[in-house]
Amino acid sequence: MDAIVALAKRRGFIFQSSEIYGGFNGFFDYGPVGAELKKNIRDCWWADMVRRREDTVGIETSIIMHPKVWEASGHVAGFTDPLVDCKVSKQRFRADQLFFAVVVVNDQPIGYVSALESVDTAATLQGMAESLKRRKAIQGVLAPIVAKDFTEATAEEIPLIPSPATGEPGSLTAPRGFNMMFQTNVGAMTDGSSVAYLRPETAQGMFVDFKNVVDTGRVKLPFGIAQIGKSFRNEITPRNFIFRSREFEQMEMEYFISEDADWATAHREWIEWCKHWLLSIGLPAALLSEYDHPKAKLAFYSKGTTDIMFQYPFGVQELWGIAARGNYDLTQHATASGKSTEYFDEASKKKFVPHVIEPAVGVDRIFLAVLCAGYAEEEIKDEKGNVEKRTVLRLSPRIAPVKVAVLPLLKNKEALVGRARDLYKKLQRRYAVFYDEAGAIGRRYRRQDEIGTPWCVTIDFETIEKDGTFTLRERDSMQQRRITETELFALLEDAVTEHPRQKRRR
Ligand code: GAP
């Protein structure tokens, strides 16, 4: 992770927000190449999810909505994470990320250990248990620890569990619900009557506008409403770089189906679609897995939720959640607003509140996943046979911030520079391209490798003196070949606009 974070800063992908003021925890800025990469992720999703599907439309709703939206959705009452305070250090932890274990020697408890969730929390706790046994100089057999999260701690156990901040027991409070919505005030008054919220998810926009879309969008069940936009959550412990932040971007889709449709099949189809889409932007299948939420932990209205997980360097974590939410949200808004959210089905002549399948993913999490999957350090030999290190970001051409770099072999040869600038200007009309004439050609290739540029084109003496072809250098293989301008455009068109084969529903 450290190497990836360093590259992200060095090459202008991601900066800490407000860095000159010491940063602001949980907020990030995207630099010049980061903004391009993020936009490409969004554009690919929008193209595949909205434009290339005949059964989905896109909308853009406001970030601050009527506060009643969040009462009806259940967020005001229940959008909470379990919070634990350490009264001594004044630090706060998420109870479900704070793990503890009772330490047992010769079948007798000798104390407790605790640690914050990490790649291998159980191994950390086991190591702590061994040190506790040594510190207390107790002889005997240490039982393997059983890690539990702090939400499972009993009232008797809480005073005995050490705080991860101080290592001493007695300072942790019992978990309490902490609402993660950011509050603001709308208008000149700052009393309770003007309280509003920054949206914690984009999804409610689709439910609240459901009727408007049905009335204007020429849509028929089953159909989806999609949206991309910023969401805000006052996370207790933002962490792992951009994985969990307080301001982030979501790409959500509500796929409405008939009340008697086979929801399990629709759910499975959407899980497959999402996995396929992740492969289409270059994530390797080997780093993806599925996690089915246990039935007992689902909300009462939920029929099932499956997360597509990604193997980040800090552990396997949720990337994309696909939830079958029944008709809970539309029903809640109908009750709270007094306005019908029913759909009239022409074929059956029946009126009902549609059910929904919701694939919801974070742009920043995909961004981090493609950085982690693509990052590699290699040892290569230069022309003289010397071994050197190459850092390369293997990004799919679909999302790479720069598709091709145009490099004149020498910057002091007018004919080379002129031809290179011509090609650069021509490519620029269609693609994000980069022109670079500074430094040795090998160094220029390395700079492009680090930002994931799939191809470099060098304009050399053969170009201007012979057949007009350029040297095309491929990022991954580092192989070079000659290519004509027509072939270059065809190569880019093919690689950049390639998209997953999709099942048309209607
Ligand atoms: N409407 C459903 C919903 O918002 P969620 O699981 O809370 O569900 C959906 O969020 C996706 O949004 C997650 O799978 C994740 O990719 C992204 N996400 C959620 N919280 C995030 C955070 N604090 N920082 C970055 N991404 C986040």
Side-chain angles (χ1 to χ4, degrees), residues 79 200-203 233 235 242-250 252 254 318-321 325 358 360-365:
F79 193 57
E201 60 170 28
T202 57
R233 297 183 189 177
E235 296 281 354
I242 54 169
F243 178 80
R244 178 170 289 113
S245 46
R246 290 179 166 138
E247 174 178 335
F248 56 99
E249 205 163 354
Q250 288 186 307
E252 297 198 276
E254 304 301 327
E318 174 189 339
L319 176 59
W320 201 330
R325 298 180 58 84
E358 177 190 76
V361 68
V363 183
D364 315 76
R365 281 199 191 173

Side-chain angles (χ1 to χ4, degrees), residues 90 136 147 161 194 254 269 301 328 342 375 460:
K90 307 289 178 223
K136 292 199 168 186
I161 299 171
S194 64
E254 304 301 327
E269 279 180 8
Y301 53 80
Y328 177 77
E342 281 181 323
Y375 183 90
D460 48 27

Side-chain angles (χ1 to χ4, degrees), residues 401-406 423-435 492:
V402 175
K403 308 302 177 197
V404 59
V406 179
L423 178 66
Y424 169 61
K425 286 283 164 202
K426 214 164 169 183
L427 284 165
Q428 214 180 34
R429 288 185 216 144
R430 290 182 64 81
Y431 305 106
V433 282
F434 193 82
Y435 175 82
L492 287 170

Side-chain angles (χ1 to χ4, degrees), residues 184 214 220 236 323 392 411 416 426 444 467 473:
T184 185
V214 170
K220 276 207 182 95
I236 299 167
V392 57
K411 74 169 173 191
L416 292 178
K426 214 164 169 183
R444 283 183 268 167
D467 55 4
R473 187 257 192 190

Side-chain angles (χ1 to χ4, degrees), residues 58-70:
I59 60 169
E60 199 175 308
T61 65
S62 58
I63 286 174
I64 298 179
M65 300 169 80
H66 198 294
K68 284 193 175 152
V69 169
W70 306 109

